[in-house]
Structure formats: C-alpha cells, structure tokens
C-alpha cells in the first residue's frame, strides 16, 4: 500500500507541475468517489485509485504500458525532426510522464509500437539477449520467389554486421508480400535484408511482438490501448 498527497498523485500521473496540480485541486476540478477534493494535502491509497479531472475518469498507474497502432509518417522520437512524433497521437499526460517508444519503427513503417515510462521494462524489451520475436509483413517491389525466402532463412550479409543475419521464420503471403520473423532488431533490418537479397521493401508493418498480436487488440491506425497483465505476459522470449 502506498499513500500519497493528492498533488503528488496528479503530478505522478502527468497532469503537470506540482503547482499546477495544486491549482487544479483548489479550483475544485478533482473528484474522488464522486466527491470534490479541494485540499491538495489530502492523502490517498494509490492502490486501485480512480479519480476524475474535468469530468474525465482516470485510474492511478505507477507505470504506463501501452500499445499504439502506428500510422505512417510519424516519428518514434520525443524530438521529431521531419514528421510529427508518435506522442502527438496520445493524451498530453503521457508526455509529462516521459513516455518513450520501446525501440523504434521508421516513420514510414506502421503497426505495433510499445510505449512505456518504465525504464527496466523498456530495457528488457529492447535487449537483443532476450530474443523476443517480432513479426512483420513486408510488401516487396519485385515478386517473391522461393530463392528470396531461402536467402532470408539462410542469412544475408549486411555491410556493417560481422556475420550474416537470418530470419527466424519467413513465408510467402502472396506474390508481393512476405511474413518475416526477426529476433535481432537491427537498424532498418527488414529493409536491409530484403535489399541484400536482391529485392526492395516498399511497405512494412509490424503485426506482433512475442505472442501479442496486433489484430487481437482491434485498434485502428492511430489508436492505442493500455496493456493488462495478461497481455504483458505475452511479451516474452520465444523460449521461456
């Protein structure tokens, strides 16, 4: 059990500076259990705590774990340079909480993007030592051939890698699409592997991480959702 003053609770949840949160409370904008609380010094048990600000309901979360169905032309950066950042698709509170993408998708790559403010979680999910499979659907410029699939499974040499990189699995979906599963998570890996195999990636979408499938979340492009404990448990290595 953890008890915090109400201003600290709001600040921890990303509603602004401590001073701004105190003003919200003193202005009567915060309710708990249907009753306005205007004393910022009042303490509450954060376990299972729900509160209302500006008539919108919120649940206290020590850390935030979300998945975004990323559209094209958004950058996975807190300081984007050429396109809007993915944080613009989320409530402003997440920016205050210093939410970060778990790894990155290129601006033109779509699909499943994990985001969190939990540093150890981000590190664990990003670590290549955990061998967490990531599943992509790649649209190719040239037709998919058996030879292309074989090359990707056997491994292709990228110019800045000491050894060839191979897909964990790879299968043809149709004449211009493949499903490819990778564990390494190297920079632009799918695109570079296809180029090294003599083809070209014209579109790329991530559809799963570990055993968590994007389709099962029923998110339109640009939509997001919190991950519950059962869904977080699916984000595990292939062998556990």
């Amino acid at each position: 059990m953890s008890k915090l003053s109400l201003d600290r609770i709001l600040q921890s949840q990303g509603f602004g500076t401590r001073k701004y949160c105190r003003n919200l409370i003193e202005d009567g904008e915060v309710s708990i259990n249907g009753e306005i609380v205007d004393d910022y010094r009042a303490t509450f048990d954060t376990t299972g705590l729900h509160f209302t600000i500006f008539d919108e309901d919120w649940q206290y979360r020590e850390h935030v774990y979300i998945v975004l169905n990323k559209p094209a032309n958004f950058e996975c950066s807190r300081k984007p340079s050429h396109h809007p950042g993915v944080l613009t698709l989320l409530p402003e509170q997440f920016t205050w909480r210093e939410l970060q993408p778990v790894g990155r998708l290129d601006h033109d790559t779509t699909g499943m993007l994990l985001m969190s403010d939990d540093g150890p979680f981000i590190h664990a999910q990003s670590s290549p030592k955990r061998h967490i499979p990531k599943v992509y659907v790649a649209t190719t410029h040239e037709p998919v051939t058996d030879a292309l699939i074989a090359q990707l499974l056997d491994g292709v040499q990228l110019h800045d890698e000491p050894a060839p990189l191979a897909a964990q699995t790879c299968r043809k979906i149709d004449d211009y699409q493949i499903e490819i599963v990778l564990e390494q998570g190297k920079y632009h890996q799918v695109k570079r592997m296809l180029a090294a195999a003599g083809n070209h990636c014209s579109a790329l979408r991530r559809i799963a991480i570990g055993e968590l499938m994007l389709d099962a979340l029923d998110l339109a492009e640009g939509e997001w959702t919190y991950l519950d404990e059962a869904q977080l448990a699916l984000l595990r290595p292939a062998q556990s």
Side-chain angles (χ1 to χ4, degrees), residues 124-171:
Q125 287 295 315
S126 303
S127 173
K129 296 180 180 179
R130 296 191 74 224
H131 302 289
I132 299 174
K134 297 175 177 63
V135 187
Y136 300 85
V137 171
T139 301
T140 60
H141 187 264
E142 303 295 335
V144 176
T145 63
D146 292 341
L148 173 67
I149 300 295
Q151 277 185 278
L152 295 173
L153 289 172
D154 289 342
V156 292
Q157 183 66 54
L158 304 185
H159 77 276
D160 56 350
E161 294 294 333
L165 296 179
Q168 183 181 7
T169 66
C170 187
R171 68 179 183 89

Side-chain angles (χ1 to χ4, degrees), residues 6-60:
L6 188 53
D7 59 339
R8 287 185 179 275
I9 289 172
L10 298 191
Q11 184 185 31
S12 74
Q13 301 302 287
F15 287 95
T17 64
R18 190 103 169 263
K19 180 179 179 181
Y20 178 74
C21 291
R22 288 180 177 181
N23 289 337
L24 280 179
I25 296 164
E26 291 178 334
D27 289 344
E29 301 292 352
V30 183
S31 298
I32 295 179
N33 297 326
E35 295 186 4
I36 293 174
V37 180
D38 58 10
D39 180 3
Y40 66 81
R41 292 172 292 250
T43 60
F44 296 89
D45 179 6
T46 58
T47 304
L49 179 66
H50 290 258
F51 55 93
T52 302
I53 297 182
F54 300 129
D55 297 322
E56 186 173 359
D57 294 328
W58 293 86
Q59 176 184 340
Y60 177 88

Side-chain angles (χ1 to χ4, degrees), residues 54-225:
F54 300 129
D55 297 322
E56 186 173 359
D57 294 328
W58 293 86
Q59 176 184 340
Y60 177 88
R61 299 173 189 271
E62 182 178 1
H63 291 293
V64 172
Y65 309 92
I66 72 167
V67 60
L68 169 72
N69 185 355
K70 179 187 173 296
N73 298 319
F74 283 84
E75 293 184 22
C76 294
S77 172
R78 290 181 60 86
K79 296 181 179 179
S81 54
H82 301 294
H83 301 275
V86 290
L87 284 169
T88 63
L89 298 168
L90 307 174
E92 184 181 6
Q93 284 77 14
F94 290 149
T95 300
W96 282 93
R97 291 191 68 145
E98 298 189 353
L99 197 76
Q100 298 181 46
V102 180
R104 295 195 175 191
L105 295 178
D106 299 338
H107 76 88
D108 57 349
T109 299
T110 63
M112 180 180 285
L113 178 66
L114 302 178
M115 302 185 74
S116 181
D117 60 354
D118 183 349
F121 171 80
I122 294 171
H123 175 75
Q125 287 295 315
S126 303
S127 173
K129 296 180 180 179
R130 296 191 74 224
H131 302 289
I132 299 174
K134 297 175 177 63
V135 187
Y136 300 85
V137 171
T139 301
T140 60
H141 187 264
E142 303 295 335
V144 176
T145 63
D146 292 341
L148 173 67
I149 300 295
Q151 277 185 278
L152 295 173
L153 289 172
D154 289 342
V156 292
Q157 183 66 54
L158 304 185
H159 77 276
D160 56 350
E161 294 294 333
L165 296 179
Q168 183 181 7
T169 66
C170 187
R171 68 179 183 89
K172 178 179 178 179
I173 297 176
D174 60 35
D175 287 346
Y176 289 90
Q177 278 195 329
I178 62 170
E179 179 187 276
I180 182 168
V181 180
L182 303 177
E183 289 185 348
Q184 301 93 346
K186 302 288 186 178
Y187 179 71
H188 289 176
Q189 186 173 348
V190 175
K191 296 176 181 179
R192 293 163 66 210
M193 286 179 66
L194 279 169
N199 207 310
H200 177 71
C201 183
S202 57
L204 186 62
R205 179 170 179 78
R206 185 157 68 192
I207 62 171
I209 298 175
E211 296 180 9
L212 183 64
M213 308 297 295
L214 183 59
D215 284 350
L217 300 173
D218 195 25
L219 297 174
E221 282 199 350
E223 291 185 343
W224 65 275
T225 188

